[in-house]
Amino acid sequence: MNGAALVAIAATIGNFLQGWDNATIAGAVVYIKKELELSAAIEGLIVAMSLIGATLITTCSGTISDWVGRRPMLICSSMFYFLSGIIMLWSPNVYVLLLARLLNGFGIGLAVTLVPLYISETAPSEIRGLLNTLPQFTGSGGMFLAYCMIFGMSLLASPSWRLMLGVLSIPALLYFALTVFFLPESPRWLVSKGKMIEAKRVLQRLRGREDVSGEMALLVEGLAVGGETSIEEYIIGPADELDEDQEPTADRDAIKLYGPEEGLSWIAKPVTGQSRLSFVSRQGSMVTPSVPLMDPLVTLFGSVHEKLPEMGGSMRSMLFPNFGSMFSTVEPNMKNEEWDEESLQREDDGYGSDGGDVESDDNLHSPLISRQTTSVEKDGMVPQSHGSILTMRRHSSLMQGGDASSMGIGGGWQLAWKWSEREGEDGKKEGGFKRIYLHQEGGAPGSRRGSLVSIPGDHTAAADGDYIQAAALVSQPALFSKDLMNRRPAGPAMAHPSQSAGNVSILAALLEPGVKRALIVGIGIQILQQFSGINGVLYYTPQILTQAGVDVLLSNLGISSNSASFLISGVTNLLMLPSIAIAMRFMDVAGRRSLLLTTIPVLVISLIALVIGNVFDFGEVIHAVVSTLCVVIYFCTFVMGYGPIPNILCAEIFPTRVRGICIAICALVFWICDVIVTYTLPVMLTSIGLAGVFGIYAVVCVISWVFIFLRVPETKGMPLEVITEFFAVGAQQGAAKNE
């Protein structure tokens, strides 16, 4: 946790520099205009050039980051920041200044696009929301400190705008040093390129423990894009206490789960009678959204969060103290060669088998992503448990017990595999290797509330016994994909899954139903955020504070109007910091969706109050007080929800294979909308007035609330790979519903 937090803090210096630059250019342009005698058009171009640069670099940043990695792009961002600061410090004329502003925009574009992505790929799922709120906090902190510096310099007899802008190079140099010498590459990107040894070392550093085999397996499974996924239900109990009254399926369908202690095991039995890809209630009926237009995906995600697993002290924890590690194996004499692209290039022959006599239907194991021999039977190609690539070290730290939330892959989820074998119509054996994301249901054992799917029929005995229920997402694993099997008939371990993932074209991956649905969510929320009024309120703030008499009060203290403006802006940013800190506290507790649905109505009320204050005459004093309060409330509420959450969501909902390019698409939409809002605001103020502008913003906020309520799911605490799997399930469900 500490390793991931320090890495996230270092990465967000890029956002600190963005906030710093936004503040310094706002102050420096006052003095640039006087010295260089600029026209209004050139003045606007100097300010907007960084926005143009950010938009341009965003068009290719995602694709390049998927190609060369996240860390090199962050290094480039720091270099752009540093070079732009040095050039702005020199700037002999306006043309050189425009070039420097363009380079500065490149640095901003890379930081805004890739820092949330980088944090999402390195942070544990339990604190991913908190760490991904850091960019908002550091950005506002950078603006506050920069305004303090500008205010101090504005009190001098002849303030230097070159020095104001050039100071950027000092923190940029620190950012460069951290990106080069401290920040590791994203482990998910490393796995996508087959660099397993390096990915394992990075994860060990980020998690602060030696055994990261479970998360390594999760990262490999995240390479797949698309594929059919089904929702199943399992009842899990001790193997030695099997009760006939609790038997929903035949023994041949049971899966044995091995515990860390010798002789300790559980039986997982799939519940029959469920239809594929259906949301089933406790009574076994189809769950339809309570609102007709609500996306079933929102309901599916919500069902996971209705009742999370107990954190400790529950009856279930007493019954199954080792539930979190029950997917471990106790196989002795395992080889421990690393599975990496370099070793794969050295060895290209078939693997010998050292398999034992364990039955294939007992094969539900946690993985060790290391190169192990793969047993392949001629008649069925059934992988055996001994020597399989799906095994875990005996004395793993993940096998030390604890409750369900402390182990697995985060958020109460466990990763496992199973091999099912049956006879086909021609009498030949047929088998299917499946990956399972298991989610322990919350509440007391046998609880019938808060489940993802139901158990048809009455299983009162299970509720009274030592059995627990687990929902599961079941699909084809990346370790045993059809493509790998077709190309490598000797066994899936002959090729790394990244080779199969690399053969999928970017366009084909983007057209996958789950990815398209995620893009709709990401693009939609970015558009609505930009049109929700933040730029208009920022534009209007100096005017209403002037009406409130703040500048008069400061002028009486001997502070010039420019200095007063800088001081007011700095105080405004200072007020945002506690609000962002509150958002960081609740981002992984209340969740992203809940924060948005709670804070957006406050934005609407603030905007409506501003409209009323500008339509009706309440007197100058009342108008000034109400307007000031509304602006402060709007700012503080915005940075708690609608400010950071769109970027957080966009960094969570896309598969590893296309995460970079999808985030770049969303970021490009963000910058384009930013340009549109910024340059249409003066025109709108002239044509429909301030009340009309804020009225439109209020309507957009209402539309935003409706869109989020109907289309945006809750992603708190869930592993990225499980989130993308849910999007695939939701897309398939939607397609089946429309047929």
Side-chain angles (χ1 to χ4, degrees), residues 491-504:
M494 296 292 292
H496 192 281
S498 63
Q499 298 181 23
S500 177
N503 292 332
V504 180

Side-chain angles (χ1 to χ4, degrees), residues 190-389:
L190 291 171
V191 168
S192 73
K193 299 302 179 182
K195 300 180 179 180
M196 306 300 292
I197 296 177
E198 187 177 352
K200 178 181 176 181
R201 289 171 181 165
V202 170
L203 269 182
Q204 288 172 334
R205 171 186 166 188
L206 292 173
R207 302 297 179 256
R209 62 173 184 264
E210 287 297 316
D211 196 323
V212 292
S213 51
E215 191 166 357
M216 285 289 292
L218 176 67
L219 269 52
V220 171
E221 292 300 335
L223 297 178
V225 179
E228 294 186 1
T229 303
S230 61
I231 301 174
E232 298 179 3
E233 183 87 6
Y234 284 84
I235 294 181
I236 303 174
D240 57 350
E241 297 183 13
L242 183 62
D243 192 321
E244 293 182 0
D245 295 335
Q246 301 165 344
E247 185 175 7
T249 59
D251 286 340
R252 61 183 177 83
D253 294 325
I255 305 169
K256 183 170 289 187
L257 312 175
Y258 296 96
E261 302 172 13
E262 185 175 358
L264 181 63
S265 61
W266 291 264
I267 292 292
K269 289 194 171 186
V271 178
T272 58
Q274 302 179 58
S275 59
R276 288 173 61 85
L277 300 173
S278 62
F279 307 107
V280 188
S281 70
R282 275 296 162 201
Q283 290 74 32
S285 60
M286 179 72 71
V287 170
T288 57
S290 56
V291 180
L293 297 178
M294 180 177 285
D295 192 334
L297 186 68
V298 176
T299 305
L300 179 61
F301 271 88
S303 65
V304 177
H305 299 290
E306 285 178 10
K307 193 74 173 178
L308 292 176
E310 302 285 341
M311 294 302 293
S314 66
M315 181 178 181
R316 181 172 304 167
S317 299
M318 297 187 330
L319 289 173
F320 301 107
N322 295 312
F323 180 81
S325 58
M326 62 167 30
F327 304 131
S328 308
T329 60
V330 290
E331 311 280 356
N333 305 320
M334 293 297 176
K335 297 181 181 179
N336 194 26
E337 300 177 60
E338 300 293 348
W339 179 16
D340 194 62
E341 59 180 2
E342 293 89 349
S343 61
L344 284 174
Q345 293 170 359
R346 291 193 300 267
E347 295 184 30
D348 205 21
D349 299 328
Y351 297 131
S353 170
D354 59 349
D357 299 326
V358 181
E359 296 296 327
S360 62
D361 59 358
D362 285 347
N363 280 342
L364 183 56
H365 300 277
S366 278
L368 168 64
I369 299 302
S370 59
R371 191 168 184 175
Q372 309 288 359
T373 55
T374 304
S375 174
V376 182
E377 294 185 355
K378 293 182 180 180
D379 57 348
M381 296 183 66
V382 182
Q384 304 296 318
S385 72
H386 289 282
S388 169
I389 60 172

Side-chain angles (χ1 to χ4, degrees), residues 145-169:
L145 293 178
Y147 274 122
C148 290
M149 180 196 72
I150 295 170
F151 171 72
M153 295 180 69
S154 69
L155 300 178
L156 301 176
S158 56
S160 171
W161 61 265
R162 290 180 177 85
L163 184 58
M164 287 182 185
L165 297 175
V167 171
L168 176 74
S169 59

